[in-house]
Structure formats: structure tokens, C-alpha cells
Amino acid sequence: MTTGNEKDLEKTRTAGRYFERLIQSRESSLFLVVLAVGLLFSLSAQNFFSAENILNICKQVTLVTMVAAGQTFIITSGGIDLSVGSSLGLSSVIMSWLIYHGCSLFIAIPAGILIGVTFGFFNGLFITRLRLPPFIVTLGMTSVGRGLLLIITRGYSITIDSPLILALGNGRVLGIPIMAMFMPVIVIIAALLLNHTIFGTHVKSTGGNELATRLCGINADRVKIKIYTLAGLFCGIAGVIMTGRLNGGNPNAGLNFDMDTIAAVVIGGTSMQGGSGTIIGTMLGAVLMGMIRNGLVLLNVNMYWTTVTTGAIIIIVCAIDSFTSAKKAQ
Amino acid sequence: MMDVPRETAPGEVILRMEGIDKSFPGVQALSEVSFSLVKGEIHGICGENGAGKTTLMKILGGIHPQDSGTVELKRRTVRIENPLESINRRISVIYQEFNLAPTLSVAENIYLGKEPAKGPFAAVPDRNEMARGASVIMSRLGMPDLDCGQLVRNLSVAEQELVEIGKALLNNAEILIMDEPTAVLTPRETEALFKVIKSLVAEGLSVIYISHRLEEITSMCDRITVLRDGKLITVLDNSARSVAKEELVKHMVGRELNNFYSRDADYSTAEPVLEVKNLSRRGKFHNVSFVLHKGEVLGLAGLVGAGRTEIVKSIFGFDPPDEGEIFIEGQRVFNISVEAAIKNGLGYVPEDRKKEGLVLGMSLSDNIALPNGNMISSAIGWLSAEKQKSLAEHYFGSMSIRPDIPDRLARNFSGGNQQKGVIAKWLARAPKILILDEPTRGIDIGAKQEIYALISELTREGIGIIFISSEMLEVMGICDRLLIMAGGRITGEFKKGEATQEDIMLRAADLRR
């Protein structure tokens, strides 16, 4: 029996725990790691701690963060998307091809975004209607997308010279790269969508227990189609910006994005089992990886070592996490 | 230690636990609990959920060593630090969730970790030896015809239970601990299991038997230990099978309970709320027709696999029927999806609370809100934390869900409180018909009573309730009318008080012809 007094006590404890939870949350500990790594590089690499370099890092991680935001929704719902890189590449290449052949930007840009959306929609459609695991569907789609892209480009880059598009990737407003401005916008929208809407709740409940979700009258299939389509939308937007950054469509565009986005999501603290996810964590994960790459380059470490480091970071961060959560469970 | 006899004679104490304390963060799970087990006895442990039965067992299984207190095995003080040590000390625990590898065969499971080897470097398992040994063990367990080469996942739950016991036998277990072994067995399977347990006890095995089913405890056990709130309440001598269920209940809840399975009044009316006509679904149920009235509790009794869950899931739109018609308040409805069924005024509390009823990793408040998205959000789907909070607080209050912390994860509530949460999510939609599928399975007596009281309350408001339960006394006591199903058909119908247990069993087994 709980008496009134105990109840009050419990409630005070809960309020106290809220602050505790904020301190103990994955996001804040990850933020501290980001600060620590930043400090380490600032002390060791000469040009690391400068406004120019920090903006540069922001620019470099913008696209990964954007696409990883979509990936966060997918992984939270218990799925995975291995095809985000192909989706991004295909939308960039098709948009470039349209512009190269004289198409107006008013058509080319929406077309590029639409390619990503369509790609994601079909991922969702195949996963739900054919009852196939997301791993299989998106593994297949990544090949389909990359193949189509190579057919269109015949393996060569398409160079365009549209000032507006190029400004997206390289321009600045008030000294801040335009491209970097997309990051907070997408992160805020995605975080609100995941944490403050019915849709977000359904994403989490589908990942947490799909059967229970269905038995609540929620059409989990429709939720999944929406999730993959949303992720496709982010890929499409990223594709448009990528085009500006590369001065056109490159057959290799987005090649590492599948693994990089999954890494950002995992480092960020979203559970691979589904059920819970954090967009802020994902952003911090992407920033951490971007910072390490940037710092190692400034320290003149061989480019290929940065790849090794990224892999090591994933394992270390997740090992610490599983260790601490196992301890908490005791 | 001085020389102590290694073997224990029947009637001697084989296991003694003294002053056991165990706490988890925020909970004193056991305090100063003592327990003793005599060789060759069946010792029942009962208590409500949270009384400490499972914790006591986990100390013996080496899952959580005790904080303080002593465990004496055959007069030797031991501390069981891990599960392997427990097995080596010839204790076998069979948990509610089996520890079997579903894709391995019966023989491979029994010999898992102890495979007889042959060949160079002893690298090849001796399959012939394993098959032979496994079949000897399974014959001892009354299953001489079981094919020990088949995969465990193809076995029934009852057979899997026996494979678990077989593992214990291979480990030469002297103490067998069983946690709710009959929770998902049919009455016939339960009886067969009891026979096996009795024959093993006759061979000298000592059994600790944990169950919510009090009639099993009183009919099977030689002594009964009752725990409440982590404390030892009493140890009852039942060697003459003289302990009455009521006495046990009294000790478990600390107060007298009269007419346990009962409701205050019958609120059923003559006005039909749900009519089902000739409903069929291939391979599941056939040509099922019945009427549910406003304010009525209609029971569906029968054995596991009789088609009870299948038919309510069809009515609820989860697996729509192939044929037949459904009418709600006289209107024909087409429950082609769960969404449609909910719109038509149905709510469903599923059989498996953890797998189907709740998203365990979300808060109970989120779970209650889940089917009620429109009530806690704006038109464009923007969540209102305030609305959700007041919705959750309303039901936490009116259903006295404990602890009163809506933001706590669903998995951290006790079974009874979880179940109240599942019911709450439907009440918010003001359903016309509520389907309760095994609503009291695995929850404690206090919570059961609260659910019965809630059923009364709902029927008084005119809600029609379909009540599925495998506990015969429960359906007989709670339901105004009873349908009995066997093999996907309705084989009998009784008004309250008309049928005896035998009448129901006969029809559930479909033996009357």
C-alpha cells in the first residue's frame, strides 16, 4: 500500500531524477565527449580551433547529419536503410542531368527531391507489402539506385554551372556557409517530429512492439511507409545540396553515406533494437566523427587512418554504453 | 568443515536457508526469510506477485546471490555465485521462460554443454549416445515415444517443459525448482506433468513448486511456505492435504476473502450489443454464432487451441473472418482492420500482456495514450503533454495503478498494474464491447479482485464483456453466461450456476458424443 506521504516522496524523487536523467542522458555525455575531443585537437593541431575550421566541420557534417536524421527514424522503428547513399546520389545525378540539358531550376530541384521521396516510398512499400526485412529490401535498392545512376552518368561526372545551385554548396551569408545553415533547421524539424507528434510516438511504439501497436488500431504499415518516405525526403534535399558542393552530379556521390549515417545514429545512442531514438544524439554522433576526421587531417595523419579511427570510435562508444547500461541494470 | 555425510536420507533436510536478505535499488525484495527443503518432498511456495518467490528461487539458481544470510546444502554452507555453480551443486531451476534452443533437437538440448564426444580431439558429438541417452530420459518422464531427433520448436509447451526436466535429470539434479510450470498448460497436460513430478519425487528428488494456482499447491505439496512483501508469513504442513485454499489466500493477502471469484451483481440486459452470425475462418474456427448483451459478461471457455483467441481476434479485425456477419447494436459492421473495429466500439485486452498488450520500453502513460492519439493532440498531430498527463493521471487515479508514476516505463510495473494500464487504454475510448483475453493470467490475487470489481463496474455502465480464461473456477464465477469451445466450434452454452466443472470439461474436450 502506498500512503499519500510516500507518493509525494516518490514525486519529488521523480522531479529530482529529471535533472539527474538530463545529466546522465546519452546526449549530455556524448556532448562532453565532443568537447573533450575538440579540446584535445585544439591543443595538438594548430588550426583546429579557429572559426574558419569549425564552420568547415559544420559544413562537412551537414549532409551526413541530414540523412542520418532520416536514418534515426528508420532505426527507431526497428528497421534499417542501407540505400540512403544511392538515393542521395541518384537525386543529385538526375537533377544535374536535367540542369545540364537546360531544364529550369524550378523543375530540376523539385525533381531531385522527388527522386529521393519516391525512392524512400518504394522502400517502405516493398518492406510492408512484400513482407520483406528492411535489410534485404534496402540492400537490393542500394544496388538498383547506384546502377541507375551509373547508367545515367555512364560513369562520368556531370558538371553544371548554375550559380544558385553552386551557392547552396559553396556560398556564404554573413560569413556562414549556406550549406551549414541547413543542419540546425533539419535537426530541429526532425527532433520535433520524433518527440512532439503522434507520428513520432507511433514510430517509437512500432519499433518497441509492433504487434501491440497494431492491436491499438495503429496501421504500422502506413507508419513505416511514412518513415521511409520521410528519410527519402531528407536524402533528396541532401542530394540537391550535394550537387552544389560537387558542382554537379558525381557517380560516386553518397557512396559512404549508408555506413556513415548508421554510425552517427548508433554513436548517438539510438537503439538498434528499435523503440527509442534521439535526433540530437545522432547530430552529435555525426559531429564527433566529422571532428575526428578533420582533426586527423590537420595533424597530417594518413587519410586512410581516419577510416580506421571511425570504426574504432563506433565500437568504443557503444562498448562504453553497453557497459554502463549493464551496470545500471544491476 | 568436519566430515559431513555426502548423501542425505529421505526425510532429512537437504536445503536450509536462514535469514536471507536481498534488496534491489528501491526495493527490499526479501528480508530475513528462512526456508527449508526436506529430501523427497514437494514444497510449495506461494504469495502474491512481488512477495519474493522468484527472488528466493533466483538466489538458489545463482542469478542474484543474497545480500546476507546463509544457504546450507546438505549441512554445508555454500554461496551460489552463478548459474553454473547452481547446476554443479545439483540444483536445477526451470524458469517460466524456458532456456531451450528452439532450433536444436530434443537430444541436443538435453545434452547441451555436456555432449558426449568421440573422434580425434573429441571434436565430434556422439549422436548415437545422445539419442540413446535422451530417449532413456524422456521415457523416465513418461514420453517413451517422443522422437528425440526433432526440433524443440516443433514441440508443444508441455513437451518443452519435459525437455527442461530432462536437462535437470541429466545434470543429476537433487533439487528441482519449478516456477509456474502449469501457467500455459491445458488441464490434461497439467495432470500428466503432476504424474511425472510425483514419480521423480518417489525416486528421491526434492521439488520446490511455485504457482499462482492454489488448488495445485494444496493438492500437490507436502509443505507450503507463504511469503508476503518479502517476508516469511508461515510454513504450513500439508502432508494430509488438509490445507484449504481459503486459508492460503488469507495468509497471502493478510485478510479474509469470501467468495473469491464473484461479482456483486448481474447487470446483463436483454438488449444485444454484439451479434456474430456463422463466422468462419479457415483452419481456426467454423460457423460460430453468438449474441452478447449490454451489461453482460460472456465467458469463452475451452482448452488452449480451441479457437477462443482466434475468434475474438477476428471480431477485433486483426485477422478478419473468411465468412459470416458481425452486428453491433443491430448494425452490420465490417471489421476489416483493427482501426475499423475500434471505431465500431470494440476494445481488446490481449492474451499476452507483454508481447501484445504493451510497448514495454515506453512509459505506461504513453501506452495508455497509444490508441487515443486524437485525445492528446491537436488536429495536425501535435502532441499535448498536458492532455496526455491528465489522461494518464485520470486512469492512474480511477484504477489505482501503483506506483502512481505515469512516466515510469511499462516494464517496471507489476503484472497486475500493467494489466490495468492495458485496460485503461481502451476505457478512454468508451467502448461498447470490451474483450478480455486471459486478463488475470500471472497477476496476483489482489489485482485479480480489482479486475473483477472493474468488470462489475463496466457492466453496470452497460458495456458488454467477452471474457476468456483457462481458469475454470474463474469463468464459472465471473461470467453471466458461458460458451464452451472445442476445435473451433461452440460445443456448449450454460447460464451462470448451471454447469459443473465436469460439464464444462466434457464439452471442452468435446467428449460428450
Side-chain angles (χ1 to χ4, degrees):
Chain A
M1 293 294 128
T2 322
T3 64
N5 239 341
E6 275 173 48
K7 197 173 128 187
D8 287 344
L9 204 70
E10 272 275 22
K11 281 195 171 156
T12 342
R13 272 197 218 121
T14 329
R17 271 192 220 120
Y18 185 76
F19 186 68
E20 215 174 285
R21 240 184 303 168
L22 188 72
I23 300 276
Q24 285 180 348
S25 73
R26 176 66 172 254
E27 288 91 332
S28 24
S29 47
L30 194 58
F31 185 64
L32 291 180
V33 172
V34 169
L35 286 185
V37 171
L39 189 69
L40 213 68
F41 279 124
S42 305
L43 297 174
S44 53
Q46 238 183 11
N47 300 320
F48 186 83
F49 192 70
S50 64
E52 191 51 37
N53 191 50
I54 289 170
L55 286 176
N56 193 21
I57 294 175
C58 288
K59 200 171 146 186
Q60 282 165 354
V61 300
T62 291
L63 294 181
V64 170
T65 306
M66 229 163 158
V67 178
Q71 187 77 266
T72 308
F73 279 84
I74 290 173
I75 291 179
T76 302
S77 77
I80 194 152
D81 191 346
L82 301 174
S83 68
V84 287
S86 296
S87 168
L88 183 157
L90 193 63
S91 68
S92 166
V93 159
I94 288 185
M95 189 178 86
S96 307
W97 186 87
L98 286 174
I99 294 172
Y100 184 79
H101 286 90
C103 190
S104 143
L105 289 186
F106 290 108
I107 294 171
I109 293 178
I113 294 173
L114 197 65
I115 292 294
V117 171
T118 313
F119 206 87
F121 175 74
F122 275 107
N123 272 335
L125 202 66
F126 292 154
I127 288 164
T128 54
R129 294 287 176 268
L130 304 181
R131 300 253 158 253
L132 287 174
F135 191 94
I136 308 263
V137 168
T138 58
L139 185 69
M141 286 294 277
T142 195
S143 212
V144 168
R146 189 61 62 187
L148 286 175
L149 178 164
L150 288 169
I151 291 170
I152 293 166
T153 60
R154 299 200 193 107
Y156 297 106
S157 293
I158 303 170
T159 311
I160 58 169
D161 51 2
S162 158
L164 189 73
I165 298 286
L166 297 189
L168 269 183
N170 303 303
R172 282 172 184 248
V173 172
L174 303 171
I176 299 170
I178 294 173
M179 187 173 157
M181 293 175 187
F182 281 93
M183 185 159 88
V185 175
I186 294 281
V187 165
I188 289 168
I189 290 175
L192 289 178
L193 209 52
L194 186 59
N195 297 320
H196 294 279
T197 64
I198 295 285
F199 169 67
T201 312
H202 292 178
V203 171
K204 290 178 202 162
S205 74
T206 302
N209 187 342
E210 187 174 334
L211 188 55
T213 304
R214 285 179 192 276
L215 284 171
C216 282
I218 293 158
N219 190 333
D221 284 351
R222 210 177 299 155
V223 173
K224 284 187 194 169
I225 292 175
K226 280 186 201 165
I227 293 168
Y228 284 89
T229 309
L230 177 75
L233 172 70
F234 288 155
C235 288
I237 298 171
V240 171
I241 302 171
M242 175 74 102
T243 310
R245 190 158 156 73
L246 299 178
N247 294 353
N250 186 306
N252 289 332
L255 210 51
N256 296 322
F257 267 61
D258 306 324
M259 288 308 136
D260 279 0
T261 53
I262 293 170
V265 173
V266 168
I267 292 174
T270 294
S271 159
M272 283 300 277
Q273 268 87 51
S276 67
T278 153
I279 300 284
I280 304 292
T282 296
M283 179 189 74
L284 289 170
V287 168
L288 183 66
M289 287 197 303
M291 240 169 59
I292 289 171
R293 274 180 202 164
N294 173 283
L296 291 178
V297 169
L298 291 182
L299 287 173
N300 287 323
V301 177
N302 180 332
M303 267 285 286
Y304 300 126
W305 277 108
T306 60
T307 311
V308 175
T309 320
T310 311
I313 296 283
I314 297 174
I315 294 171
I316 292 168
V317 171
C318 294
I320 292 171
D321 190 53
S322 108
F323 183 73
T324 48
S325 59
K327 221 169 179 188
K328 244 184 246 165
Q330 275 187 358
Chain B
M1 277 281 144
M2 293 171 294
D3 2 323
V4 281
R6 295 303 299 249
E7 286 308 317
T8 321
E12 265 183 73
V13 172
I14 184 169
L15 166 76
R16 189 188 298 281
M17 301 170 89
E18 288 289 352
I20 300 290
D21 278 327
K22 176 75 196 173
S23 63
F24 296 104
V27 197
Q28 181 77 32
L30 291 175
S31 73
E32 291 285 313
V33 171
S34 299
F35 176 80
S36 72
L37 181 68
V38 170
K39 186 173 170 73
E41 76 168 340
I42 304 179
H43 194 139
I45 299 184
C46 57
E48 296 192 73
N49 272 9
K53 300 168 300 206
T54 305
T55 311
L56 197 67
M57 178 188 71
K58 284 187 171 168
I59 287 174
L60 292 173
I63 309 270
H64 311 298
Q66 71 272 22
D67 297 339
S68 63
T70 55
V71 177
E72 250 178 64
L73 260 180
K74 297 188 223 165
R75 299 197 213 149
R76 196 180 278 238
T77 304
V78 298
R79 188 175 162 82
I80 303 165
E81 294 283 357
N82 54 54
L84 186 63
E85 202 177 326
S86 168
I87 293 169
N88 289 340
R89 296 196 184 279
R90 301 171 75 177
I91 299 172
S92 278
V93 186
I94 299 176
Y95 297 97
Q96 245 173 312
E97 278 86 29
F98 296 148
N99 284 314
L100 294 173
T103 54
L104 297 185
S105 72
V106 172
E108 284 166 325
N109 264 287
I110 290 178
Y111 277 94
L112 200 60
K114 307 199 160 37
E115 294 84 354
K118 62 178 184 186
F121 309 111
V124 185
D126 187 343
R127 287 180 190 283
N128 293 334
E129 169 63 22
M130 279 163 61
R132 198 194 53 78
S135 93
V136 167
I137 285 174
M138 293 317 284
S139 323
R140 256 178 90 188
L141 297 175
M143 303 278 291
D145 301 329
L146 187 77
D147 171 13
C148 292
Q150 68 176 309
L151 301 187
V152 159
R153 68 164 170 217
N154 298 334
L155 301 181
S156 72
V157 186
E159 289 165 335
Q160 293 184 7
E161 179 101 41
L162 291 172
V163 175
E164 280 274 14
I165 300 178
K167 275 166 68 178
L169 293 186
L170 187 79
N171 292 329
N172 288 316
E174 290 179 320
I175 299 174
L176 182 66
I177 305 172
M178 306 180 86
D179 188 8
E180 298 276 356
T182 58
V184 285
L185 300 191
T186 65
R188 208 182 319 168
E189 290 168 333
T190 303
E191 215 155 285
L193 178 70
F194 288 167
K195 239 191 206 157
V196 169
I197 296 174
K198 281 176 187 154
S199 76
L200 293 174
V201 167
E203 291 173 29
L205 194 77
S206 314
V207 175
I208 300 176
Y209 189 89
I210 298 174
S211 179
H212 269 104
R213 298 194 175 170
L214 302 182
E215 60 275 11
E216 291 178 1
I217 297 264
T218 51
S219 70
M220 284 281 294
C221 300
D222 304 310
R223 285 197 298 158
I224 303 165
T225 291
V226 183
L227 300 177
R228 190 200 316 150
D229 298 332
K231 295 187 188 78
L232 174 67
I233 299 302
T234 183
V235 182
L236 301 166
D237 182 4
N238 191 35
S239 47
R241 303 293 181 263
S242 52
V243 174
K245 247 172 46 180
E246 290 71 28
E247 192 185 348
L248 273 188
V249 172
K250 197 179 79 191
H251 287 299
M252 285 164 65
V253 299
R255 59 194 137 106
E256 296 272 356
L257 291 175
N258 300 327
N259 288 330
F260 184 65
Y261 298 113
S262 69
R263 297 195 294 120
D264 56 351
D266 176 353
Y267 294 107
S268 43
T269 63
E271 204 181 331
V273 58
L274 172 75
E275 274 174 274
V276 168
K277 287 187 184 158
N278 307 322
L279 220 56
S280 297
R281 187 169 147 78
R282 265 243 308 253
K284 300 293 182 191
F285 52 86
H286 190 71
N287 211 11
V288 170
S289 303
F290 64 83
V291 181
L292 171 70
H293 301 96
K294 282 190 176 167
E296 184 183 37
V297 182
L298 177 65
L300 286 184
L303 305 176
V304 172
R308 296 170 301 166
T309 296
E310 288 76 5
I311 188 154
V312 293
K313 275 194 170 164
S314 260
I315 296 170
F316 192 58
F318 190 74
D319 291 311
D322 300 332
E323 274 172 59
E325 296 165 318
I326 302 172
F327 297 85
I328 291 178
E329 292 180 331
Q331 291 281 322
R332 172 117 196 242
V333 296
F334 298 89
N335 292 343
I336 49 163
S337 67
V338 174
E339 227 175 329
I342 293 172
K343 277 211 186 91
N344 292 327
L346 278 142
Y348 174 53
V349 174
E351 189 180 10
D352 190 327
R353 184 168 62 240
K354 292 180 178 169
K355 286 203 187 114
E356 305 177 317
L358 290 168
V359 185
L360 291 171
M362 300 203 323
S363 71
L364 203 56
S365 159
D366 280 341
N367 272 287
I368 293 173
L370 209 49
N372 302 301
N374 54 333
M375 294 176 67
I376 54 156
S377 67
S378 67
I380 55 161
W382 194 256
L383 277 182
S384 155
E386 234 116 275
K387 283 185 192 162
Q388 176 169 344
K389 193 166 165 237
S390 68
L391 180 77
E393 275 174 359
H394 174 73
Y395 286 104
F396 267 71
S398 70
M399 301 180 79
S400 39
I401 300 177
R402 293 285 172 271
D404 191 3
I405 309 169
D407 286 336
R408 180 186 267 230
L409 292 188
R411 74 157 54 84
N412 296 335
F413 283 87
S414 71
N417 287 301
Q418 287 180 341
Q419 194 65 288
K420 288 187 211 165
V422 180
I423 296 175
K425 65 184 186 184
W426 296 117
L427 296 190
R429 302 199 64 97
K432 296 172 190 151
I433 300 143
L434 190 61
I435 302 166
L436 304 174
D437 195 348
E438 301 279 2
T440 61
R441 177 183 288 172
I443 70 175
D444 62 56
I445 287 181
K448 272 186 191 177
Q449 286 237 302
E450 288 182 71
I451 286 182
Y452 301 151
L454 183 73
I455 289 173
S456 277
E457 177 67 29
L458 296 176
T459 49
R460 197 162 59 87
E461 291 167 15
I463 296 175
I465 289 180
I466 299 179
F467 187 95
I468 299 180
S469 171
S470 295
E471 288 206 35
M472 194 118 49
L473 292 173
E474 188 180 65
V475 277
M476 289 170 69
I478 298 304
C479 303
D480 301 320
R481 200 154 50 93
L482 206 52
L483 299 176
I484 295 123
M485 286 190 73
R489 289 161 200 271
I490 292 178
T491 53
E493 178 175 344
F494 295 101
K495 285 224 166 61
K496 186 175 196 166
E498 270 183 5
T500 64
Q501 289 203 43
E502 286 66 39
D503 292 334
I504 296 172
M505 270 324 295
L506 225 57
R507 282 169 178 78
D510 208 12
L511 292 175
R512 75 215 134 107
R513 275 163 297 178

